[in-house]
């Protein structure tokens, strides 16, 4: 069954709204809650939410992009991720809207496995704060 149930959607939104657990913990909980088949189905729901700009919170978006990347990637290659084209298109789209956005930086870091190891130890608000402070530091030096 390829459509998500109401219960699955409620659980998904619970994960996407989680501001207290680390990204690593959210990923682990997600994997424990849903079967691998459901990962793809719910990843598709995440893409739809992002494409339609229904997730206005940067925290939700950070968690969404992180789950899309981590649930569907093979080591070190975005091209084998079924949502890789979407992720790449979004980096380009974000770049055309506002250069050096927090989400653009996050997506670029997700594509580098060594950066991901640092990111997953933080909560989404911590990731946001880290990138915002890095961006303001960079802005002040230019």
């Amino acid at each position: 069954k390829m459509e998500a149930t109401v219960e699955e959607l409620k659980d998904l939104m619970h994960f996407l709204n989680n501001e207290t657990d680390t990204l690593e913990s959210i990923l682990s909980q997600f994997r424990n809650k849903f079967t691998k088949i459901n990962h793809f189905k719910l990843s598709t729901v995440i893409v739809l939410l992002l494409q339609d700009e229904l997730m206005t919170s940067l925290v939700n978006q950070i968690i969404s992009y992180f789950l899309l990347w981590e649930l569907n990637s093979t080591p070190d290659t975005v091209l084998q991720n079924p949502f890789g084209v979407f992720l790449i298109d979004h980096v380009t789209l974000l770049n055309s809207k506002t250069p050096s956005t927090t989400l653009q930086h996050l997506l670029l870091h997700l594509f580098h496995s060594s950066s991901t190891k640092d990111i997953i130890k933080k909560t989404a608000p911590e990731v946001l704060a880290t990138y915002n402070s890095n961006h303001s530091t960079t802005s002040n030096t230019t």
Side-chain angles (χ1 to χ4, degrees):
K1 185 177 177 185
M2 276 310 290
E3 62 239 5
T5 67
V6 171
E7 194 61 38
E8 289 170 333
L9 293 174
K10 284 181 186 177
D11 290 338
L12 174 63
M13 292 312 295
H14 169 75
F15 289 113
L16 298 180
N17 288 313
N18 187 330
E19 294 189 14
T20 56
D21 291 332
T22 64
L23 294 176
E24 182 177 46
S25 177
I26 292 170
L27 178 63
S28 175
Q29 292 171 45
F30 190 99
R31 284 183 169 149
N32 288 332
K33 178 75 177 172
F34 300 112
T35 65
K36 193 142 179 99
I37 296 291
N38 285 338
H39 293 179
F40 183 82
K41 174 173 56 174
L42 294 172
S43 292
T44 303
V45 171
I46 291 171
V47 166
L48 293 173
L49 291 170
L50 289 167
Q51 279 181 326
D52 291 341
E53 297 181 2
L54 296 174
M55 286 202 240
T56 55
S57 160
L58 283 177
V59 168
N60 297 135
Q61 293 173 35
I62 288 168
I63 295 169
S64 297
Y65 288 119
F66 176 76
L67 288 175
L68 279 177
W69 175 254
E70 287 295 319
L71 291 172
N72 301 290
S73 290
T74 56
D76 299 324
T77 177
V78 69
L79 298 177
Q80 293 194 10
N81 182 322
F83 301 98
V85 171
F86 171 79
L87 292 167
I88 291 169
D89 284 349
H90 258 48
V91 169
T92 306
L93 176 67
L94 292 169
N95 189 42
S96 68
K97 286 184 176 180
T98 309
S100 302
T101 65
T102 299
L103 286 174
Q104 180 190 16
H105 284 287
L106 175 68
L107 290 174
L108 292 172
H109 276 76
L110 286 176
F111 300 154
H112 296 92
S113 61
S114 60
S115 300
T116 304
K117 292 174 188 164
D118 296 330
I119 291 172
I120 65 174
K121 302 290 184 197
K122 298 178 180 182
T123 65
E126 289 170 341
V127 170
L128 184 59
T130 299
Y131 285 99
N132 282 341
S133 69
N134 287 347
H135 179 65
S136 66
T137 303
T138 304
S139 302
N140 293 336
T141 59
T142 48

